[in-house]
Amino acid sequence: MITNKNCIIRLSRYKNALYRLQALGFVKVFSDNLADAVGVTASQVRKDFSIFGISGNKKGGYQIDLLLEKLNSILGKDQLQKVIVIGAGHIGSALMRYRGFEKEGIKIIAGFDIDPAKINRSNVIPVLPLDEAKGFIKAQGIKIAILAVPDIAAQEVSEEISAAGIKGILNFAPLRLKDIEGCVINNVNLEIELENLIYFVNVAQKLK
Amino acid sequence: MITNKNCIIRLSRYKNALYRLQALGFVKVFSDNLADAVGVTASQVRKDFSIFGISGNKKGGYQIDLLLEKLNSILGKDQLQKVIVIGAGHIGSALMRYRGFEKEGIKIIAGFDIDPAKINRSNVIPVLPLDEAKGFIKAQGIKIAILAVPDIAAQEVSEEISAAGIKGILNFAPLRLKDIEGCVINNVNLEIELENLIYFVNVAQKLK
DNA sequence: ATCATATTGTTCCGTTTTTCACAATAACAT
DNA sequence: ATGTTATTGTGAAAAACGGAACAATATGAT
Ligand SMILES: NC(=O)c1ccc[n+]([C@@H]2O[C@H](COP(=O)([O-])OP(=O)(O)OC[C@H]3O[C@@H](n4cnc5c(N)ncnc54)[C@H](O)[C@@H]3O)[C@@H](O)[C@H]2O)c1
Ligand SMILES: NC(=O)c1ccc[n+]([C@@H]2O[C@H](COP(=O)([O-])OP(=O)(O)OC[C@H]3O[C@@H](n4cnc5c(N)ncnc54)[C@H](O)[C@@H]3O)[C@@H](O)[C@H]2O)c1
């Protein structure tokens, strides 16, 4: 069982690069083309594929459509993924308005908020009261939630929604949620991303 | 020279945990306290500190204020970091409205957009026309930019701003910008983050 | 002053991840 | 048919990383 996050991220990048190549009219691809497109070594590409039992053709490379099928299957893209957003504030509503997830087979189908002023049932993507979240998650079988509530609320809300059936949380609040049994938590911590960038910029400056 | 991104991210987390501990009244901390707070091993904490020549006191742990000074210095937090946002759309304006960066010493001082309708010079954080970006970057000595433009524009804009003096870009467009000499590029790819989360949720389900 | 104890700092070791290298082989050329 | 070539697939080597262990030592107790 593969637990290497970077490896899975590479698979996503391969997939994206393959769609671009396909759009350019390519039908097959070699490991080094793909490597260039994604910014890794050709060995890495072949090794990643090997891990998942993906094989190409000696001297013929990989047939893009077949490769995409396999990658999409590994990445769980065979079926539309329904996602909800908790917290329809600045970041939550930016995400809800974003169309880019749909071409990836990811659909935000509702938002939830504790503030009555944010509720809007008639919107394409409705914003519902938080206390309806539990029922909604169960009724619709939602597995994935994007958490965009203030940091003080994040821990409590994450426990509530996972109790209701959420199995994966993408957390934007800048704190470490404590582990929840049966729920995967990935964090998007933009403060830390910026801090990290600043560090590497400073290091690069000092090198010169 | 440290090139381990995870290590630097841990430093940020240590720093954040230390501020919380300090707020709770603690004056000193042991490697295992900090380890618990951040979710790593105590060895890892000491190793990270050792790499940067940070030392504590045998039997006395680390004095929080001194430790924070050193971490802040490593992370370049001695001085306010001025940042600009390119693309004042959904995500760009969510970021510009966010107050959370300031407590981290990161200040978004302007946004830039190509769309005249987005321009707003009188705002606290003004949104200016893109063609003023170059002059602004030079005049203010800006090093860091957040790139929140549509993917088709991202490559061109990134080259422009780095030519104007930007040394680090936090890119939200879901594509790989080609390497730019003298400019560090970090990506926040939310499509991939979600895809990744979905993969690990699926894997966890299959395990059971 | 001596001893016991707690905690660091660092070395060593195991694991994970990446890269290297090349044998296997399918496709193509002659 | 045979040979040549390009590219895969993988096993082995190297590098990076993280964790365990423990010697060094400062602190506090007696
Ligand atoms: N906006 C950004 O650019 C940005 C950047 C980095 C991190 N973040 C983080 O993302 C999170 C959201 O930020 P934001 O700027 O969108 O904040 P915001 O205040 O605009 O939105 C938060 C929303 O959550 C709602 N909310 C509060 N408690 C809730 C609860 N218990 N259940 C459901 N909804 C609840 C609020 O009513 C509000 O609509 C915060 O944790 C913030 O630190 C935001
Ligand atoms: N909104 C989201 O939740 C979200 C999520 C994931 C990724 N993204 C990515 O972030 C980027 C921005 O997304 P968004 O939703 O904010 O889009 P948006 O269309 O709301 O905003 C983009 C802004 O960039 C401006 N712009 C266009 N070309 C420009 C140029 N050359 N120079 C300066 N400004 C320019 C536009 O006028 C617009 O204001 C996109 O690449 C998108 O794929 C957004």
Side-chain angles (χ1 to χ4, degrees):
Chain A
M1 191 51 49
I2 302 302
T3 57
N4 182 344
K5 178 165 172 167
N6 285 330
C7 176
I8 306 305
I9 288 179
R10 283 195 301 269
L11 295 192
S12 289
R13 295 198 203 284
Y14 299 149
K15 180 207 54 159
N16 293 345
L18 287 167
Y19 277 121
R20 285 198 302 277
L21 290 169
Q22 203 173 47
L24 292 171
F26 290 95
V27 170
K28 63 179 193 177
V29 70
F30 302 120
S31 57
D32 64 336
N33 303 144
L34 202 46
D36 284 352
V38 168
V40 300
T41 64
S43 288
Q44 180 83 81
V45 172
R46 296 200 300 274
K47 175 71 80 175
D48 285 338
F49 288 175
S50 161
I51 288 169
F52 288 95
I54 295 175
S55 53
N57 310 300
K58 292 275 156 70
K59 201 165 175 185
Y62 303 83
Q63 202 180 320
I64 293 179
D65 55 357
L66 296 179
L67 191 45
L68 275 170
E69 248 172 54
K70 295 200 174 130
L71 291 175
N72 280 331
S73 159
I74 293 165
L75 293 171
K77 306 197 82 60
D78 305 315
Q79 59 198 37
L80 183 77
Q81 292 288 342
K82 291 182 291 185
V83 173
I84 58 173
V85 171
I86 315 284
H90 291 132
I91 200 93
S93 50
L95 293 169
M96 288 173 68
R97 275 195 221 102
Y98 183 55
R99 311 255 53 123
F101 295 134
E102 287 177 28
K103 69 172 173 7
E104 296 295 338
I106 296 167
K107 192 165 167 61
I108 298 177
I109 61 167
F112 293 89
D113 206 291
I114 209 172
D115 177 1
K118 299 280 167 65
I119 307 307
N120 181 343
R121 292 177 188 278
S122 58
N123 210 8
V124 192
I125 302 173
V127 177
L128 307 172
L130 184 65
D131 53 26
E132 293 180 21
K134 190 168 185 168
F136 189 95
I137 291 165
K138 287 193 169 146
Q140 303 264 349
I142 309 293
K143 296 274 178 292
I144 309 287
I146 296 172
L147 191 59
V149 301
D151 49 6
I152 34 167
Q155 183 64 50
E156 193 189 333
V157 176
S158 66
E159 284 164 22
E160 277 176 39
I161 59 179
S162 80
I166 290 294
K167 303 291 183 204
I169 296 176
L170 189 65
N171 171 44
F172 281 82
L175 53 78
R176 194 172 84 93
L177 298 176
K178 76 181 189 13
D179 292 348
I180 299 174
E181 170 74 29
C183 187
V184 183
I185 298 172
N186 279 11
N187 296 289
V188 175
N189 191 321
L190 298 179
E191 282 91 336
I192 287 184
E193 288 294 334
L194 275 171
E195 227 166 75
N196 198 259
L197 181 61
I198 291 165
Y199 172 84
F200 283 104
V201 167
N202 285 340
V203 166
Q205 294 301 299
K206 276 173 203 151
L207 278 184
K208 295 193 309 187
Chain B
M1 191 50 52
I2 303 301
T3 56
N4 182 345
K5 179 166 173 169
N6 285 331
C7 176
I8 307 304
I9 288 180
R10 283 196 300 272
L11 295 193
S12 288
R13 295 198 201 285
Y14 298 149
K15 179 208 56 160
N16 293 345
L18 287 167
Y19 277 121
R20 285 197 301 276
L21 290 169
Q22 201 173 49
L24 293 171
F26 290 95
V27 171
K28 65 179 190 176
V29 70
F30 302 120
S31 57
D32 63 336
N33 305 144
L34 202 46
D36 285 352
V38 168
V40 299
T41 64
S43 285
Q44 180 79 81
V45 172
R46 296 200 299 275
K47 174 74 77 70
D48 286 337
F49 288 175
S50 161
I51 288 169
F52 288 96
I54 295 176
S55 53
N57 311 300
K58 291 274 157 72
K59 203 168 171 177
Y62 303 84
Q63 201 179 320
I64 293 180
D65 55 356
L66 295 180
L67 190 46
L68 275 170
E69 247 172 56
K70 295 203 174 127
L71 290 175
N72 281 331
S73 159
I74 292 165
L75 293 170
K77 306 195 83 60
D78 306 316
Q79 58 198 37
L80 183 77
Q81 291 286 344
K82 290 182 289 185
V83 173
I84 58 173
V85 172
I86 315 284
H90 291 133
I91 200 92
S93 51
L95 293 168
M96 286 173 70
R97 276 195 221 102
Y98 184 54
R99 311 257 51 123
F101 296 135
E102 287 178 26
K103 68 173 174 5
E104 296 295 340
I106 296 168
K107 193 165 166 59
I108 297 176
I109 61 166
F112 293 89
D113 206 291
I114 209 171
D115 176 2
K118 299 280 167 64
I119 306 308
N120 181 343
R121 292 177 187 277
S122 58
N123 209 9
V124 191
I125 302 174
V127 177
L128 308 173
L130 184 67
D131 54 25
E132 293 180 20
K134 189 167 186 169
F136 190 95
I137 291 164
K138 287 194 169 147
Q140 303 265 348
I142 309 294
K143 296 273 180 291
I144 309 287
I146 296 172
L147 190 59
V149 301
D151 49 7
I152 35 165
Q155 182 63 49
E156 191 190 334
V157 175
S158 67
E159 285 166 22
E160 276 175 40
I161 59 179
S162 80
I166 289 296
K167 304 290 183 205
I169 296 176
L170 190 65
N171 171 44
F172 281 80
L175 54 78
R176 195 173 85 94
L177 299 176
K178 76 180 188 17
D179 292 349
I180 299 174
E181 170 74 29
C183 186
V184 183
I185 298 171
N186 279 10
N187 295 289
V188 175
N189 190 322
L190 299 180
E191 282 92 335
I192 288 185
E193 289 294 333
L194 276 172
E195 225 165 77
N196 197 260
L197 182 60
I198 290 166
Y199 172 85
F200 282 103
V201 168
N202 286 339
V203 166
Q205 294 301 298
K206 277 173 203 154
L207 277 185
K208 294 195 306 186

